[in-house]
Amino acid sequence: MKLMRLRHAKLIVLLIVVANLILFYYSWKSTLWKSIASSLALPNLKTSNFVNSPSDVQNMKSSSSKDKTRNSFKHIRKSITIAFRNFYTFENDIKESIDSILDVVPNMPIIVFQDNIPYPPITYERNASTSKTEELNVRFVNLGFDIMKPVQELNPLSLIHTKYVLFMPDSVRLSSKNILQKILREINVNIWEKDTRGSKTKLNALPDNIVRRMIIIPFSGNLKSFAGCLQISLDLPNWTIQYEAVNSSSDKCDLKHGILVDVAVLREMPDPMASPFPEMFYIQAKLNNITKFVFPQTFQDGRRLFVAYHTKQRRLDMRRRQFRDMYKKLQLKRIIRRSHRVNMKMDSKDANMPQRNIILDSQFSSANFSMPLVTEIDLIGCERTTKSCVGTVYNQRPFYIFLGKHTPPCCLDKLKSTFNHILEEFENVGIRYWLDNMALKTAIETGQLSPDAYDIDVSFNVADLERSNAMKKSQNKPFVDNEGFYWIKATDGHYFRVQFSKINQIGVNLLPFEISGNEVKANGFFGWKAKPFSADFLHPMSTVLFLGKNIMCPNNVREYLEFKNIQ
């Protein structure tokens, strides 16, 4: 009996232990599952009835979309700085243009470059409902010299901390960030580099790589039928710039456009922000071999500017001054423009307005008419009221020879005018003359003036001096003829000189010779030009084609030049 009670007690104890173990197992399992579930950020959609609800799926998609948008904004802001360079303080659309950009890409870095501090000053303020941090991202920078600024602040590129800068014209409306993403993708891809075998390899732009091309983004309001893009050719040794209207399917740009360029490229230029912009920028880009690609999509135009006549004229005057300063800075003295032009018919209400010339390129064709190429040449400098561009001549070499340049074309033009004026005078009164020295040498070689010529020597028979009233009058004092040419007898050699004007000393030397027996000797002047020679060279006289005319010269010209040691 006692043994049976002991067995029942052991069985009860065993059952209680088993029950506790089962309770402990389920409690542990429940706690572990809750811990695992709480530690997971995103439960499995296939096994959880709670996650499978449509509202939660939509929320997750919305959250993912917001993250992508936030990341795209961040990428644009870290890659591009928008710069406004070409605008006018007396009429502009800067504030509305900046608002349009910030409405699409908040906190976008924007810099407004100004040539001088305007008065009243231009300020920018966002709406009261927007964040003040956006205003801090918009900076107005004065490009003028400021004695109070340190040298690093005088460099406008020090304010740009992104890889690319997008130069925007005034009056723009940004409707979507997509075009910024596309042009950023375009400049980052399709970069070609030649390998050691000469074949091209396609690369992507890395942060340390310099992208040596720019993206041109036209505007929707530009004319689609005509090309407004000019190809620029520079000839610095001859002081010349040439603009030519061009067009092709791969290289077409319009009048109003944005420019996306690598900031590292700007650092290679001497003055990338110089006025007039973007013309001065394009010249520097051409010298640095920067290629361009015209983007197929367009920006939207903002408010129309310069509708009133006085603002349009004021803008035109400022542009003229900017171009004049640019030509002076670049030491350019001949501007050539080649284009095809057609007059646009005006409406009846605009009948009093002048006809508008549209510049077309050489590939424009029409079955109704053909357009000849129009070439316009403007020469800068070397007028009657300005000093000659030749300046001081040392050892028969003007200063520009040391700069690797030829005689400025404006000086050559005035030298030709002076020579033709003297030629007409001598032939009218019957003075026996001949082309001499370096001008004679270039005449028989090229028929033109030497590109380094700064004067022309014309020798004449002193016995005929009295036939010219201008030379007779200039023997005692300088004489200005009816056409403004300045006749003077040089005191350093007693020869005559005809200048384009009293101030402008570019001119022609008149060297008097007398025939004494069979020898021709200098009369009253000295130097290497005064070397006597045989009269046989003048009997008979010959002619040479020079500047489009037959000019008198000695016979056996090459032997004559060799005798005078003119190489």
Side-chain angles (χ1 to χ4, degrees), residues 14-258:
L14 180 62
L15 292 174
I16 293 172
V17 170
V18 172
N20 287 334
L21 288 175
I22 294 173
L23 182 62
F24 174 78
Y25 170 76
Y26 281 104
S27 299
W28 172 81
K29 186 176 180 181
S30 176
T31 305
L32 179 63
W33 178 253
K34 289 182 179 180
S35 176
I36 293 174
S38 62
S39 63
L40 293 177
L42 183 63
N44 193 334
L45 294 177
K46 295 181 180 180
T47 59
S48 176
N49 294 329
F50 178 77
V51 177
N52 281 335
S53 63
S55 61
D56 290 322
V57 173
Q58 186 65 30
N59 289 338
M60 289 195 312
K61 289 183 178 180
S62 177
S63 176
S64 177
S65 177
K66 289 181 180 179
D67 291 339
K68 290 182 179 179
T69 303
R70 191 180 302 110
N71 291 334
S72 65
F73 285 159
K74 185 177 180 181
H75 178 61
I76 293 174
R77 289 192 293 263
K78 285 191 173 182
S79 302
I80 300 176
T81 296
I82 293 182
F84 288 92
R85 177 63 188 95
N86 190 18
F87 74 100
Y88 298 88
T89 57
F90 54 87
E91 184 174 356
N92 60 75
D93 191 43
I94 287 294
K95 184 181 182 304
E96 290 77 6
S97 298
I98 295 175
D99 284 339
S100 171
I101 295 171
L102 294 180
D103 288 342
V104 175
V105 185
N107 297 320
M108 185 75 182
I110 299 175
I111 302 179
V112 182
F113 291 105
Q114 307 168 113
D115 287 319
N116 295 292
I117 300 177
Y119 188 82
I122 299 177
T123 58
Y124 176 76
E125 293 181 0
R126 287 285 275 168
N127 298 328
S129 60
T130 60
S131 174
K132 290 295 181 181
T133 57
E134 290 191 347
E135 296 180 12
L136 299 177
N137 289 329
V138 180
R139 302 188 60 181
F140 287 79
V141 178
N142 177 26
L143 294 176
F145 177 75
D146 189 348
I147 194 65
M148 302 299 293
K149 288 183 178 180
V151 63
Q152 61 270 17
E153 291 186 14
L154 291 176
N155 179 14
L157 299 182
S158 63
L159 304 172
I160 303 176
H161 305 294
T162 56
K163 180 172 176 59
Y164 301 107
V165 59
L166 175 59
F167 289 106
M168 282 284 203
D170 193 5
S171 188
V172 60
R173 296 295 182 268
L174 192 64
S175 58
S176 172
K177 71 178 188 304
N178 292 338
I179 189 170
L180 298 180
Q181 291 175 312
K182 291 178 179 179
I183 62 175
L184 190 57
R185 189 182 307 117
E186 176 62 38
I187 201 170
N188 281 331
V189 300
N190 300 330
I191 299 174
W192 298 90
E193 184 179 83
K194 289 186 178 180
D195 57 18
T196 55
R197 295 176 296 177
S199 60
K200 290 185 176 181
T201 305
K202 197 171 183 179
L203 301 174
N204 287 335
L206 298 177
D208 296 335
N209 290 346
I210 299 178
V211 182
R212 308 196 66 81
R213 71 169 185 162
M214 52 187 167
I215 307 297
I216 296 175
I217 310 98
F219 273 67
S220 58
N222 295 331
L223 293 174
K224 300 301 181 183
S225 304
F226 308 106
C229 182
L230 296 177
Q231 179 177 326
I232 301 174
S233 300
L234 280 176
D235 185 2
L236 295 179
N238 288 309
W239 314 72
T240 300
I241 184 172
Q242 177 173 300
Y243 301 101
E244 185 171 1
V246 295
N247 179 31
S248 67
S249 58
S250 61
D251 186 11
K252 177 184 177 182
C253 65
D254 297 280
L255 183 62
K256 185 177 179 182
H257 57 274

Side-chain angles (χ1 to χ4, degrees), residues 293-553:
F293 171 78
V294 181
F295 199 67
Q297 297 185 14
T298 61
F299 282 130
Q300 297 297 317
D301 290 271
R303 179 167 57 90
R304 187 182 177 188
L305 301 174
F306 310 110
V307 178
Y309 173 79
H310 68 281
T311 56
K312 186 184 300 182
Q313 191 64 34
R314 187 175 177 182
R315 174 182 176 272
L316 181 61
D317 292 341
M318 288 187 66
R319 293 280 288 175
R320 286 173 177 169
R321 287 196 297 270
Q322 290 174 351
F323 274 92
R324 188 163 55 245
D325 294 341
M326 181 186 75
Y327 295 143
K328 184 178 181 180
K329 183 183 296 185
L330 297 178
Q331 296 184 336
L332 296 173
K333 298 194 177 288
R334 176 167 55 193
I335 297 91
I336 302 175
R337 300 178 180 87
R338 300 182 185 275
S339 61
H340 297 262
R341 295 177 181 270
V342 59
N343 291 330
M344 295 290 291
K345 293 183 178 181
M346 308 299 291
D347 298 333
S348 57
K349 61 180 180 180
D350 297 328
N352 296 327
M353 298 294 292
Q355 296 263 334
R356 180 184 178 186
N357 289 330
I358 295 297
I359 300 176
L360 304 177
D361 67 356
S362 57
Q363 297 184 20
F364 182 87
S365 61
S366 174
N368 297 328
F369 59 92
S370 60
M371 295 173 297
L373 180 66
V374 178
T375 301
E376 299 176 352
I377 300 178
D378 293 330
L379 297 178
I380 300 176
C382 217
E383 303 297 335
R384 292 195 185 275
T385 56
T386 62
K387 291 185 178 181
S388 169
C389 303
V390 173
T392 303
V393 178
Y394 174 74
N395 197 21
Q396 300 181 20
R397 299 184 71 189
F399 77 95
Y400 47 79
I401 300 297
F402 294 92
L403 302 178
K405 294 188 174 186
H406 301 300
T407 301
C410 55
C411 293
L412 292 177
D413 180 73
K414 301 305 183 292
L415 184 57
K416 293 175 185 178
S417 299
T418 306
F419 174 76
N420 289 329
H421 179 71
I422 293 171
L423 192 65
E424 183 180 2
E425 169 76 10
F426 278 17
E427 291 182 347
N428 286 340
V429 299
I431 293 180
R432 290 167 288 180
Y433 72 93
W434 60 92
L435 193 63
D436 212 343
N437 301 325
M438 293 303 299
L440 178 59
K441 179 177 181 295
T442 58
I444 65 172
E445 291 176 349
T446 65
Q448 300 294 327
L449 269 175
S450 166
D452 297 328
Y454 55 89
D455 62 7
I456 297 177
D457 291 333
V458 175
S459 298
F460 69 97
N461 193 330
V462 71
D464 300 335
L465 187 149
E466 296 296 324
R467 298 181 181 181
S468 171
N469 290 328
M471 278 200 294
K472 282 195 303 182
K473 293 179 180 179
S474 63
Q475 289 187 92
N476 299 322
K477 62 179 182 179
F479 170 70
V480 180
D481 62 21
N482 294 332
E483 296 186 30
F485 293 93
Y486 190 71
W487 298 67
I488 188 174
K489 189 172 184 180
T491 56
D492 58 343
H494 298 286
Y495 60 91
F496 294 88
R497 181 173 176 82
V498 182
Q499 299 176 177
F500 186 67
S501 69
K502 182 178 180 179
I503 298 176
N504 191 337
Q505 298 181 358
I506 190 78
V508 177
N509 301 318
L510 304 180
L511 309 178
F513 282 86
E514 60 178 339
I515 301 176
S516 177
N518 196 38
E519 187 179 45
V520 180
K521 300 186 298 185
N523 182 273
F525 71 99
F526 48 86
W528 67 272
K529 297 179 182 180
K531 184 178 180 179
F533 58 92
S534 173
D536 292 339
F537 286 112
L538 301 181
H539 300 294
M541 298 284 286
S542 184
T543 59
V544 62
L545 185 63
F546 183 60
L547 300 179
K549 296 181 179 180
N550 289 320
I551 309 299
M552 303 302 297
C553 69

